[in-house]
Amino acid sequence: MTEDKKKMKNIGIITSGGDCGGLNAVIRGAAKAALMRGMRTFTIPNGYAGLYNLVNFDHLVELDEERTDHVNSQFAGSDAGHSRVKISKINDPDKYDRIMMGLRKHNLDGLVISGGDDTGSVVVDLSEHGIPCVHAPKTMDLDLQTYSVGGDSAINKIADIVDDLKTTGTTHNRIMVIEVFGRYAGHTAFRGGIAADADCILIPEVPVDFNAVYAHLKHYYIRRILNSDVHAGTYTIVVAEGVRGEDGKLFSDGGGKPADSFGHPKLAGAGLFVKEKLESMMREDPEIRQFMKTSGMYVPGVFEIPEIREVIPSHIVRSGATSAYDVNFGKQIGAAAVILLDEGVSGVTVTKMYDGKIRYMPTAEAIAQRFVGLETVSFYEQMDVCFGRFRQTYEPKLEEVHGAVERLYS
Ligand code: F6P
């Protein structure tokens, strides 16, 4: 983290990693704040690929008033484009010199870089190489120490998808398993599932005990159908893609796809794994056969156990529209990043505006991974949501607060 009072004139804007909601708000916030301070901003296209190849570009798109008007904050994705390129992995010993040449060629004095932990690790890297840059936190996975733009939009999408699937689930009396993005943290599965009244939420933080899931499923699913006057019901399970069993093994088989340049394997298949495991438990269970007969659904050789369907919304959860919260937060951190650069601060992550102050922290600290806390899991278990384990005792911890309490909008 450095603070030198050299004023900035021209700033490059990079968005990087997996796209999501709020990135255009970051771009717009940065561009507008720069214009108001008499500075100019330029788009560096396609994340770190563009930064590496900057030296080859004849010109960069300037975010002047007219061009900024075309950046719609409510559109998810990024006007600047993305790539999954890690600078330190580039097979070129002169890569930093090449980046410096590119920055000099386009007279760029500093960078606003929006991305997640991988992108942030490059911010640390570039800053240590003398390139002034400030990190605007972004990831739908929500696994940074700070809030990151895109999380709220993804949670809203997941909640809508999971809730919508209840109509088809109830019509066919199917158990619906929805596998969602989030990598090794369960924040978006957790919050999206809670928002949609999901019955069961499986997250990487809790190794899955299928006996617990099965007992919860049987209780709710059977009761719903038998108590319904038309014998209709569903049961909803949200599965985070990075979920593991009690043996510590990932349920994902990666779908045979190669890892990205940051070394992350593709995660795919957790939903199918859960579906197949529960189907095999139902097949072995005489009470399920009895339930099928009592509910009038049993048809020999055709319909002997309830159906389970797995749905993978995949990239849909980070596409389309941005939530109002993410637009507000995105503009805030984009503008704050420009102001920090102008004030000579580099190698930091904007955390938020709080009581009129721009808060920031060293990027190396901000990108330390954050997971769903098990006390939070126990708290929600008190509402009988199943998290893939038998419900544990929740020990209430109480705290009286005064004055400036945590607020979503400050
Ligand atoms: O990190 C964001 C994320 O959406 C993860 O949740 C997911 O595993 C990954 O990106 C998917 O990456 P890609 O868009 O490269 O397939």
Side-chain angles (χ1 to χ4, degrees):
M1 185 176 121
T2 53
E3 287 193 34
D4 86 58
K5 286 276 176 187
K6 184 170 132 312
K7 293 282 173 187
M8 296 266 148
K9 288 200 183 76
N10 300 322
I11 293 177
I13 299 182
I14 297 177
T15 58
S16 162
D19 71 340
C20 56
L23 286 156
N24 286 322
V26 172
I27 295 173
R28 209 177 152 102
K32 288 279 192 186
L35 282 168
M36 296 298 289
R37 296 171 84 85
M39 296 148 77
R40 299 167 74 192
T41 51
F42 298 85
T43 297
I44 298 181
N46 301 320
Y48 291 135
L51 182 66
Y52 178 70
N53 289 313
L54 206 50
V55 72
N56 293 337
F57 293 129
D58 292 334
H59 81 284
L60 296 176
V61 169
E62 179 171 357
L63 292 160
D64 56 16
E65 273 182 26
E66 287 67 40
R67 186 60 182 79
T68 306
D69 274 348
H70 292 287
V71 180
N72 185 332
S73 296
Q74 294 209 2
F75 286 175
S78 168
D79 186 66
H82 277 224
S83 60
R84 286 203 187 270
V85 168
K86 182 165 182 160
I87 300 287
S88 62
K89 291 267 176 74
I90 299 175
N91 197 2
D92 172 0
D94 301 322
K95 48 190 173 279
Y96 290 105
D97 290 343
R98 181 178 157 95
I99 290 171
M100 293 303 267
M101 271 164 59
L103 293 172
R104 272 197 300 273
K105 174 172 174 179
H106 296 283
N107 293 317
L108 296 177
D109 308 305
L111 300 170
V112 169
I113 303 179
S114 194
D117 55 342
D118 294 326
T119 302
S121 69
V122 179
V123 170
V124 176
D125 193 19
L126 294 174
S127 189
E128 281 167 0
H129 280 82
I131 300 169
C133 44
V134 171
H135 175 222
K138 168 283 340 169
T139 170
M140 62 147 287
D141 299 344
L142 282 179
D143 57 351
L144 306 179
Q145 294 299 316
T146 63
Y147 174 72
S148 51
V149 76
D152 187 61
S153 305
I155 287 167
N156 278 291
K157 282 265 178 189
I158 291 170
D160 286 348
I161 292 165
V162 172
D163 202 46
D164 284 354
L165 285 167
K166 288 182 188 163
T167 61
T168 179
T170 305
T171 306
H172 288 264
N173 289 354
R174 284 176 178 155
I175 294 154
M176 304 304 288
V177 175
I178 303 106
E179 174 187 318
V180 297
F181 276 173
R183 218 155 242 159
Y184 302 113
H187 301 287
T188 42
F190 184 170
R191 298 294 168 182
I194 292 292
D197 293 333
D199 298 298
C200 175
I201 304 170
L202 305 180
I203 55 176
E205 290 82 350
V206 181
V208 177
D209 172 351
F210 275 102
N211 291 322
V213 177
Y214 191 67
H216 191 271
L217 178 153
K218 264 178 81 177
H219 173 79
Y220 278 97
Y221 178 74
I222 290 178
R223 192 183 50 84
R224 269 176 203 149
I225 291 179
L226 294 183
N227 287 347
S228 154
D229 57 356
V230 285
H231 285 169
T234 182
Y235 181 91
T236 309
I237 308 177
V238 178
V239 180
E241 61 181 355
V243 80
R244 291 169 194 271
E246 290 180 298
D247 57 2
K249 277 204 204 129
L250 280 171
F251 291 171
S252 154
D253 62 6
K257 302 211 177 92
D260 65 22
S261 93
F262 288 88
H264 299 302
K266 289 276 176 221
L267 295 175
L272 182 61
F273 186 95
V274 169
K275 167 193 146 80
E276 288 177 347
K277 180 72 190 168
L278 293 173
E279 274 173 351
S280 83
M281 291 174 92
M282 287 198 293
R283 252 182 250 113
E284 302 300 311
D285 184 353
E287 285 179 15
I288 287 290
R289 202 161 288 239
Q290 187 50 49
F291 153 71
M292 291 296 282
K293 289 181 178 164
T294 315
S295 61
M297 290 197 287
Y298 186 79
V299 180
V302 178
F303 195 18
E304 298 190 349
I305 59 166
E307 289 180 314
I308 308 184
R309 286 286 191 275
E310 107 270 20
V311 177
I312 308 175
S314 185
H315 294 85
I316 291 171
V317 303
R318 52 184 227 210
S319 304
T322 295
S323 71
Y325 182 76
D326 274 341
V327 172
N328 275 270
F329 184 77
K331 285 188 177 179
Q332 197 182 98
I333 58 174
V338 163
I339 294 169
L340 285 171
L341 278 174
D342 200 25
E343 292 294 315
V345 183
S346 172
V348 301
T349 299
V350 185
T351 66
K352 71 187 302 190
M353 283 291 300
Y354 201 80
D355 282 345
K357 294 189 200 94
I358 295 172
R359 285 191 170 171
Y360 62 91
M361 69 195 292
T363 301
E365 277 179 41
I367 60 177
Q369 287 227 294
R370 186 179 64 87
F371 297 99
V372 176
L374 292 183
E375 287 187 355
T376 310
V377 170
S378 311
F379 180 78
Y380 280 89
E381 281 174 339
Q382 303 316 295
M383 295 169 236
D384 209 13
V385 180
C386 175
F387 286 93
R389 64 179 191 182
F390 287 103
R391 194 171 60 239
Q392 301 206 351
T393 319
Y394 171 67
E395 296 294 348
K397 288 190 189 133
L398 313 181
E399 185 182 23
E400 184 178 320
V401 293
H402 300 274
V405 290
E406 280 296 317
R407 296 178 295 262
L408 193 57
Y409 291 103
S410 72

